[in-house]
C-alpha cells in the first residue's frame, strides 16, 4: 500500500531578482516537503544542509517515525505490536514485500531463508586471513563485501528475480557470518546452521554450541533474540541506510552496498552506543553512586549514555520493549538481581523525574537496556554492533530494493559550498618560496 505524494501547494523562493515556485508535496503522513529539484536551474543557487537535518533524500514507504510522539511504524504497523506479536522472519517479509505474509507465503519465505543459510566452504578461508584479535566488525565489513565474489548468479541488479535472491541470501547468510566472526574471535570452531531451528535459535546455537557440548536453547533467550532483531530491523534514512542507498545509486552490487552500510554502522555515534551505555552502568556500579553521576552529567563532565536521540524527543518506543526483554532475559539467566540492571532502573527513574532531562526531552533510547540484555545472553561487548548489523541487514536491503524500483532514482551526487582557493596558475617547484 504505497500512496503517491500529493501536491499540497507551492512555496515561492525569491533570490535577488529571481523567483521560483516550488511544489510542496505531502506524503501519507508526516511533514510536507518542498521539492527543490527545479531550484538550481531557476536561481543558480544550491541548498546547504550539512547532516541532512532538513532534507528528505528519497521517497520511502517502509518506515515512519514521529520522534515527538515516540512513534515507529513499519509499513504502518507499530513496533510494539510487531515486537510482541510477530517474528523477525515475518517482519523481514513485511519490510521486503510490503505486507504481512499469508500462512503459505510465510512458509515459503521462511523456507527460502532457511535454505540459504550455508556459506560456500571456500568462504571460511576468509575468516582465517584475519588476526585472532580482529574486531568482529572488521571481519563483517570484509567478509560481507566478499559475498560478491561468490554469488555471481544474483548480481544483475536490473533483474528483480536476482535482486530478490540476493536479498534472501543476505538475510539468510548474515547470522552464519556473524556467528563465524564471533567464533573466530574467541578461538572456537565454526558451528554450521541447522534447518530445524528458527532464525534466532539457529543464530544462538551457531554462537554458543561447541563440539564438546551442544547448546540447549532457552525459549526465553530465543524470543528475546528475535525481539532484539525486530527492534533493530529498520529505522528509515539513518546514516548506514543512507550509505547503502548512496552506494547502490551508482549501480554497485547489493553485497558491496551492505558492506558499506556495515562500515558506517561501526562508528560509535551510530551502532556503538549500547556498548557505551553498559560501560557507564559498570562505572556507576551501585545505585548509591547515581546522584554523583547525575551531578557529573549536569556539569557536562559526561553524558548519560542510552539517553537522548536525534529524532525521538519522547520515550523511544523500542526502549520500552527492550526493557521488558531485559527483565525476561535476566529472569531466565537467574540474574534478576543483577546490580547493573538495578542501577539502570534506578538511573532511569531518577533521570525521568529530573528537570535537567525533562526540559531537554531526554528519554531512554533502545540502547539503554540492550547492552545489559545482550551481555546477560552471553555476548561480549565487541559483538553488540555485529548484532545490530545482523538485524539491520533486512532494512538496508529492503531500502536498496525500494530505491532500485524507483523510476526517479539517479546516482546520489550532493553539491557543496566551495571555500577553497579560486583558479590560480601552477608554479614550478624551483620558483616556490
Ligand atoms: N546526556 C546528557 N545530556 C544530553 C544527552 C545525554 N545523553 N543527550 C543530549 N543532551 C543534552 C545536550 O547537552 C544538550 O543540552 P544543552 O541544550 O544544554 O546544550 C541537549 O540535551 C540537546 O542535545 P543535542 O546534542 O542537541 O541532541 P542531539 O539530538 O543532537 O543528540 C544524541 C542526540 C547524539 C543521541 C545524544 O542524545 C547523545 O549523545 N546521547 C547519548 C548517546 C546515545 O545513547 N546514543 C544512541 C542513540 S540511539 C541509536 O543510535 C540506536
Amino acid at each position: 500500500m504505497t500512496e503517491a505524494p500529493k501536491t499540497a501547494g507551492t512555496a515561492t523562493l525569491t533570490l535577488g531578482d529571481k523567483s521560483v515556485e516550488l511544489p510542496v508535496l505531502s506524503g501519507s503522513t508526516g511533514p510536507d516537503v518542498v521539492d527543490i529539484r527545479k531550484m538550481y536551474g531557476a536561481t543558480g543557487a544550491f541548498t546547504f544542509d550539512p547532516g541532512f537535518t532538513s532534507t528528505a533524500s528519497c521517497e520511502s514507504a517502509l518506515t515512519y517515525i514521529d520522534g515527538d510522539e515516540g512513534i515507529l511504524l513499519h509499513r504502518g504497523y507499530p513496533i510494539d505490536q510487531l515486537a510482541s506479536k510477530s517474528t523477525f522472519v515475518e517482519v523481514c517479509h513485511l519490510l521486503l514485500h510490503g505486507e504481512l505474509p499469508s500462512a503459505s507465503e510465510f512458509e515459503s519465505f521462511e523456507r527460502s531463508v532457511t535454505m540459504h543459510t550455508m556459506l560456500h566452504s571456500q568462504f571460511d578461508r576468509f575468516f582465517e586471513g584475519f588476526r585472532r584479535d580482529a574486531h568482529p566488525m572488521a571481519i563483517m565489513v570484509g567478509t560481507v563485501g566478499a559475498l560478491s565474489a561468490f554469488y555471481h548468479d544474483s548480481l544483475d541488479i536490473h533483474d528483480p528475480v536476482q535482486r530478490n535472491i540476493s536479498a534472501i541470501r543476505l538475510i539468510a547468510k548474515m547470522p552464519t557470518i556473524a556467528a563465524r566472526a564471533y567464533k573466530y574471535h574467541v578461538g572456537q570452531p565454526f558451528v554450521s546452521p541447522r534447518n530445524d531451528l528458527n532464525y534466532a535459535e539457529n543464530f544462538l546455537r551457531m554462537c554458543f554450541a561447541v563440539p564438546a557440548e551442544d547448546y540447549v536453547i532457552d525459549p526465553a533467550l530465543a524470543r528475546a533474540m528475535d525481539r532484539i532483531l525486530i527492534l533493530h530491523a529498520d529505522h528509515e534514512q539513518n546514516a548506514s541506510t543512507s550509505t547503502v542507498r548512496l552506494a547502490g545509486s551508482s549501480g554497485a552490487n547489493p553485497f558491496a552496498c551492505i558492506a558499506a552500510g556495515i562500515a558506517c554502522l561501526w562508528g560509535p555515534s551510530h551502532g556503538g552506543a549500547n556498548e557505551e551505555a553498559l560501560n557507564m552502568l559498570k562505572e556507576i556500579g551501585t545505585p548509591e553512586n547515581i546522584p554523583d553521576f547525575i551531578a557529573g552529567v549536569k556539569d557536562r563532565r559526561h553524558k548519560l549514555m542510552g539517553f537522548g536521540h536525534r529524532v525521538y524527543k519522547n520515550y523511544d518506543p523500542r526502549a520500552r520493549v527492550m526493557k521488558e526483554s531485559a527483565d525476561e532475559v535476566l529472569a531466565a539467566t537467574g540474574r534478576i538481581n543483577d546490580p547493573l540492571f538495578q542501577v539502570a532502573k534506578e538511573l532511569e527513574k531518577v533521570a525521568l523525574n529530573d528537570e535537567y532531562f525533562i526540559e531537554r526531552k531526554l528519554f531512554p533510547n533502545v540502547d539503554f537496556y540492550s547492552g545489559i540484555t545482550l551481555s546477560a545472553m552471553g555476548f561480549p561487548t565487541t559483538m553488540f554492533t555485529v548484532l545490530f548489523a545482523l538485524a539491520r541487514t533486512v532494512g538496508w536491503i529492503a531500502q536498496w530494493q525500494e530505491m532500485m524500483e524507483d523510476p526517479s532514482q539517479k546516482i546520489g551526487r550532493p553539491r557543496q559550498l566551495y571555500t577553497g582557493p579560486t583558479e590560480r596558475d601552477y608554479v614550478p617547484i624551483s620558483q616556490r618560496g
Side-chain angles (χ1 to χ4, degrees):
M1 279 194 303
T2 306
E3 280 181 36
K6 295 181 189 70
T7 305
T10 55
T12 309
L13 179 85
T14 305
L15 206 66
D17 58 353
K18 292 181 185 136
S19 192
V20 58
E21 293 278 299
L22 300 168
V24 177
L25 306 176
S26 290
S28 45
T29 182
D32 289 347
V33 301
V34 182
D35 178 351
I36 57 159
R37 281 175 286 187
K38 285 194 303 185
M39 186 180 134
Y40 174 61
T43 66
F46 298 140
T47 55
F48 183 59
D49 186 19
F52 306 112
T53 52
S54 294
T55 298
S57 59
C58 60
E59 268 180 44
S60 181
L62 269 115
T63 293
Y64 173 72
I65 301 173
D66 182 332
D68 294 329
E69 297 298 323
I71 292 171
L72 168 61
L73 311 175
H74 292 317
R75 303 281 192 188
Y77 296 103
I79 190 67
D80 54 320
Q81 290 186 25
L82 293 173
S84 60
K85 298 178 182 170
S86 185
T87 62
F88 179 65
V89 173
E90 191 178 58
V91 171
C92 289
H93 185 285
L94 176 69
L95 288 169
L96 278 175
H97 300 296
E99 294 297 339
L100 290 169
S102 67
S104 66
E105 283 168 343
F106 180 74
E107 200 187 314
S108 95
F109 183 76
E110 190 177 42
R111 194 172 43 247
S112 57
V113 171
T114 305
M115 298 317 282
H116 281 93
T117 50
M118 284 180 62
L119 293 165
H120 193 289
S121 65
Q122 209 175 333
F123 196 85
D124 285 348
R125 300 209 197 143
F126 272 92
F127 295 95
E128 281 152 24
F130 287 95
R131 283 170 50 139
R132 283 282 172 190
D133 60 357
H135 194 288
M137 279 300 273
I139 299 179
M140 293 300 287
V141 176
T143 51
V144 173
L147 288 172
S148 340
F150 282 81
Y151 299 101
H152 305 283
D153 59 338
S154 63
L155 291 186
D156 180 356
I157 58 164
H158 303 295
D159 177 353
V161 175
Q162 292 196 31
R163 288 205 296 266
N164 189 48
I165 295 171
S166 284
I168 296 289
R169 279 185 167 146
L170 276 156
I171 293 166
K173 294 185 196 305
M174 201 59 89
T176 317
I177 297 175
R180 272 164 164 62
Y182 170 65
K183 285 299 200 191
Y184 189 75
H185 189 59
V186 293
Q188 292 178 4
F190 298 152
V191 175
S192 292
R194 245 180 49 190
N195 287 0
D196 59 322
L197 300 177
N198 72 27
Y199 195 89
E201 291 169 344
N202 195 28
F203 176 61
L204 288 174
R205 186 179 165 276
M206 285 193 289
C207 287
F208 298 124
V210 287
E213 196 175 317
D214 203 1
Y215 175 70
V216 180
I217 297 158
D218 182 325
L221 299 198
R223 180 68 196 134
M225 187 74 246
D226 201 65
R227 277 177 144 197
I228 289 170
L229 297 176
I230 294 173
L231 294 181
H232 291 88
D234 192 44
H235 213 227
E236 54 119 298
Q237 309 309 321
N238 56 81
S240 57
T241 302
S242 298
T243 300
V244 169
R245 280 187 179 257
L246 196 56
S249 75
S250 72
N253 76 67
F255 303 111
C257 295
I258 301 303
I262 294 172
C264 178
L265 185 74
W266 193 1
S269 302
H270 194 0
N274 52 7
E275 190 173 335
E276 303 268 346
L278 188 67
N279 291 339
M280 173 194 75
L281 295 175
K282 284 182 186 160
E283 203 184 303
I284 298 173
T286 59
E288 300 83 71
N289 297 329
I290 290 174
D292 259 5
F293 184 83
I294 294 281
V297 172
K298 292 180 185 174
D299 292 347
R300 296 175 189 269
R301 275 184 276 130
H302 40 242
K303 274 188 168 177
L304 177 48
M305 298 311 289
F307 257 65
H309 195 275
R310 171 54 65 79
V311 179
Y312 294 117
K313 300 302 170 198
N314 202 325
Y315 211 102
D316 177 344
R318 301 169 299 172
R320 244 183 263 283
V321 183
M322 189 55 83
K323 189 178 180 182
E324 274 172 38
S325 285
D327 248 323
E328 283 168 23
V329 167
L330 292 166
T333 51
R335 298 186 187 197
I336 201 66
N337 293 321
D338 184 299
L340 294 189
F341 194 41
Q342 303 310 321
V343 172
K345 286 206 279 195
E346 186 57 28
L347 186 57
E348 178 187 344
K349 209 186 305 165
V350 171
L352 289 179
N353 290 298
D354 189 303
E355 228 10 74
Y356 180 92
F357 298 92
I358 297 170
E359 237 175 51
R360 290 170 178 77
K361 300 189 175 166
L362 297 172
F363 293 87
N365 61 51
V366 66
D367 288 329
F368 192 65
Y369 287 106
S370 67
I372 300 176
T373 315
L374 293 172
S375 167
M377 289 168 91
F379 288 106
T381 47
T382 47
M383 277 298 284
F384 291 0
T385 321
V386 173
L387 295 167
F388 194 159
L390 161 57
R392 185 55 58 83
T393 295
V394 62
W396 288 330
I397 198 70
Q399 298 264 357
W400 174 81
Q401 290 256 44
E402 185 179 62
M403 181 188 74
M404 294 307 294
E405 285 161 17
D406 181 348
S408 66
Q409 187 266 326
K410 44 172 80 172
I411 187 165
R413 184 22 176 121
R415 305 307 296 252
Q416 63 174 9
L417 174 61
Y418 179 68
T419 54
T422 52
E423 185 171 336
R424 50 184 171 164
D425 286 327
Y426 179 82
V427 181
I429 195 162
S430 56
Q431 293 168 26
R432 288 175 220 156

